[in-house]
Amino acid sequence: GVSDLTPAPELLTADEIERVARVFARAGARKVRLTGGEPTLRRDLAEICARVRGAGVASVGLTTNAVALLKPTPNGGTVLDGLVDAGLDSVNVSLDSLDPLAFSRMTRRPPATHAKVMRAVEACAAAGLRTKVNCVVLRGENDAGLAAFARAFPETVSVRFIEWMPFPGNASAARAFPVFWRARRGVRGLGGDGAGTRRRQGGAGAGGGDKAAPARAAG
C-alpha cells in the first residue's frame, strides 16, 4: 500500500474548494481542473464538481487514471454518471500503453485494470465529454508503439504524448528519458497540425513542466 498519502485533516474540504473556486472566478478564471493525486478517491467528488461549477466558472475538468470512473455508486449509476450530472465538461485520462503487461509494469497495477481504463475512455467520449488521453513516453517501455497508440482511439478522443520529467526523486529512471524528436517522428502524419504533431509546453504529465505532442489537435 501507499504509506505517504496526505492525512485527511490536511485535505481541502468541499467548502474550502468551493471558496477557492469562487475566488478564482472573481479574479477572471474561466476553467477549473480537479487533479490529484487521484481525485476519484474522494467520495464527495461529484459534490465538489457541482459546487465548483456553481462557483462562476464556465468549465470544470478532471485529470484521472480512470480506474474508478465506471465503479458503481449507491444511487445506481457510476462515478462517471455522477460527475456528468454534476456538470463535468472534460476529462484527461493518464494511460501509457495499449499492452496490459506494459501498463502493469508502468503503473504497478494488475494487467486486468487496463481494460477498465480503456472502457472508461470510451465511456467518457460517449458521454460527450471533451476527452484526452495523456501518454508519458518512456524509452524501452512504450516508445515503439506510439503510432498504434494514437490510432487506437476515435477522432473524438485527443491523444497527447508527454515527456518524462526527471527530478531528484526519480533520477534512477533517467535512462528511460526518450529522445523526443524520435517520438514525434513516430506519430508524424497522423493528424493535428501540418507536421502531424505539435509540441506544447505544460500539460498534465509527470513533473508539471513537461512537453506534450498531440497526435491530434487537443482542443
Side-chain angles (χ1 to χ4, degrees):
V2 178
S3 60
D4 58 349
L5 294 176
T6 302
E10 296 182 19
L11 296 175
L12 289 174
T13 65
D15 285 340
E16 290 169 336
I17 293 171
E18 179 184 1
R19 191 181 314 154
V20 169
R22 291 189 181 280
V23 171
F24 287 166
R26 286 197 297 269
R30 306 299 297 157
K31 299 179 182 180
V32 169
R33 177 166 298 279
L34 303 173
T35 65
E38 175 49 46
T40 58
L41 293 177
R42 294 279 301 240
R43 295 181 180 179
D44 57 350
L45 181 61
E47 176 192 353
I48 290 170
C49 182
R51 293 174 71 164
V52 169
R53 187 60 189 267
V57 297
S59 175
V60 179
L62 178 74
T63 296
T64 175
N65 61 26
V67 172
L69 281 183
L70 299 184
K71 182 179 179 180
T73 58
N75 63 10
T78 65
V79 171
L80 178 61
D81 292 331
L83 292 169
V84 171
D85 291 343
L88 187 70
D89 298 288
S90 64
V91 176
N92 284 13
V93 176
S94 300
L95 176 64
D96 298 327
S97 179
L98 297 178
D99 177 6
L101 295 179
F103 168 88
S104 180
R105 288 195 304 271
M106 297 174 77
T107 64
R108 291 176 290 180
R109 292 181 177 276
T113 304
H114 183 268
K116 293 182 181 180
V117 178
M118 294 294 288
R119 288 195 298 269
V121 172
E122 294 174 0
C124 288
L129 300 176
R130 296 191 301 277
T131 305
K132 300 176 185 177
V133 174
N134 293 335
C135 174
V136 176
V137 181
L138 293 179
R139 178 184 293 149
E141 285 286 357
N142 61 353
D143 56 330
L146 301 186
F149 189 97
R151 293 191 184 101
F153 301 94
E155 288 294 325
T156 53
V157 176
S158 296
V159 176
R160 304 196 301 175
F161 297 111
I162 298 175
E163 285 183 330
W164 176 263
M165 180 57 63
F167 55 90
N170 69 357
S172 62
R175 62 184 180 275
F177 190 75
V179 178
F180 209 64
W181 65 264
R182 293 178 181 168
R184 286 170 57 87
R185 185 173 62 184
V187 296
R188 188 174 300 278
L190 291 179
D193 62 7
T197 59
R198 285 191 313 206
R199 192 162 189 155
R200 179 181 179 275
Q201 298 293 332
D210 34 275
K211 305 175 183 68
R216 290 185 287 271

